[in-house]
Amino acid sequence: MHNRSRTKSGKSHEVAVIGAGFAGLAAASVLAESGNKVTVFEKNTGIGGRARTFSQDGFLFDMGPSWYWMPDVYDSFFALFGKTTSDFYELKKLDPGFAVIFENEVMDIPADYDAVCALFESIETGSGAKLRKFIAEGEFKYMVGMNDMVYKPGHSVTEFFSFKLFKDALKLQLFTSFSKHVRQYFKDPRLLALIEFPVLFLGAMPKDTPALYSLMNFAGLKQGTFYPMGGFGKVAESFKKIAEDAGVSVLTAQNIEKFDITSGSISHLHTKNSSIKTDAVIGSADYHHIEQHLLDENYRTYDEDYWENRTFAPSCLLFYLGVNKKIDKLRHHNLFFDENFDQHAVEIYKDKKWPKSPLFYVCCPSKTDPSVAPEGSENLFVLMPIAIGLADPDVIRETYFNVLMERLEKFAGENIRSHVVFKKSYSVSDFISDYNAFKGNAYGLANTLMQTAIFKPKLKSSKVRNLFYAGQLTVPGPGVPPSIISGRIAATELQKYLNTKS
């Protein structure tokens, strides 16, 4: 695709993309490569969306994504432009991939898959062989899902009507609960927690999530966990570079405030100071925000009740900490499962309240990457999943800071709080102000059956002819790889529309 070509008619169209996250930059790059004149409008001062970075006192903090799974999705995107991942950053496979901290023990998850199976076997007799079977199923789901299903636009059920896909869909276990599926293989609560954690962090109770999502366990336990040296910001920068090399103009600090719609199509976008003519728009900012705040009611596909009745993945309370000493016991990725998993899940998804005894996650990239902290220091990213829509005043944030740090210090066996030289918190109200995120969600819509594939908010507006959506609130779902794929699909669908217009 890296040989630039004009659109079918030879005409170049003006396309506007709202949002410079992974979905927006991916969509912009694909559309520019097809010969369109593409401009990305980003409301914040930096690119990357939730994968923004900031620097302070010699520390470089990734503000959002920190798990690099599904490396093939990044590889596939770069290959569209004749590039490889290594053209942009060095990818390091972590060993251990991550650690899970239980009440009285730490479980390191090795990079080597055979060693992971041996670890399972040492905890529960027979579970090594069961894990191989479970992951083989997950791998099948991943291959079918990633090759045949995930790049479909989700317009209607007919996309999935080929006999092969229908037959494969039965094997994908869309109608089996993830929780039930896992319990057919494993009994030990530690193994269950290890298998179920990606579901908790990316949306929905395990019992409400289709068993299809065991494909994530294949990604995490067999493909492995990677880290882009220099941090996730390097990945965002690589997407910006590809976009600009393809001819995209990326404008920051440009908040789109309204659309002009003529004969059912957007003709102009308005920022505070300017009016921009356009032939088509991809909205990769928050879907709800675009519909409810940029479109008049008669042009909205979904009303407010629709959004109120969706199941959202969590928001989170985050702390970015600079610590002026090394913390020996921490690994790069640390999952604290020293409290009750089920109770915290209920508090996120059902009761929607601040958790009593939360699980949490600590990322310490300075274990792998000396560039993100001054010598002799640690860079910590502490994340606690919470329900969306909670009030998050400083007093609540501070209370939880001390709850989490107490448990972290107990695990580390040393004082950390008195060595914190930089601290910044980030939570629900920040997600709203920075990303216009509906109720401060961090990860989009939960992966429930009724919110999978064709049941997600549509990629194409049903009321505005030249408006398409990308990002974590539409197909295929939350996370960086799905957002990249979402941008690619949206661009392909918009190009089809432009071709018919020419």
Side-chain angles (χ1 to χ4, degrees), residues 130-159:
K130 285 179 180 172
L131 179 66
R132 288 184 191 280
K133 185 169 185 291
F134 178 82
I135 295 295
E137 282 182 8
E139 184 165 7
F140 170 80
K141 292 170 192 173
Y142 189 87
M143 295 313 167
V144 171
M146 298 311 282
N147 295 323
D148 298 344
M149 293 178 102
V150 84
Y151 286 91
K152 293 193 179 298
H155 295 321
S156 85
V157 74
T158 55
E159 292 168 22

Side-chain angles (χ1 to χ4, degrees), residues 102 178-179 183 189 192-201 204-207 336-349 357-359:
F102 297 105
F178 187 89
S179 179
R183 279 159 182 76
L192 296 174
L194 171 59
I195 293 285
E196 288 183 338
F197 98 82
V199 173
L200 176 81
F201 279 75
M205 306 272 287
K207 71 178 181 58
F336 282 78
F337 277 45
D338 48 341
E339 293 288 358
N340 186 285
F341 181 101
D342 295 330
Q343 181 186 316
H344 191 176
V346 166
E347 289 161 338
I348 293 172
Y349 299 109
S357 305
L359 310 181

Side-chain angles (χ1 to χ4, degrees), residues 290-304 461-464 469:
I290 292 172
E291 282 231 320
Q292 301 297 315
H293 297 281
L294 304 186
L295 291 174
D296 291 336
E297 198 172 338
N298 55 318
Y299 288 118
R300 295 171 194 160
T301 302
Y302 305 104
D303 61 15
E304 201 62 48
S461 167
S462 65
K463 306 277 182 76
V464 182
Y469 292 93

Side-chain angles (χ1 to χ4, degrees), residues 394-413:
D394 287 344
V395 61
I396 288 185
R397 297 185 188 202
E398 198 54 29
T399 301
Y400 278 95
F401 174 72
N402 286 309
V403 166
L404 302 183
M405 292 308 285
E406 209 162 287
R407 282 163 57 194
L408 176 54
E409 287 175 342
K410 183 184 167 196
F411 164 71

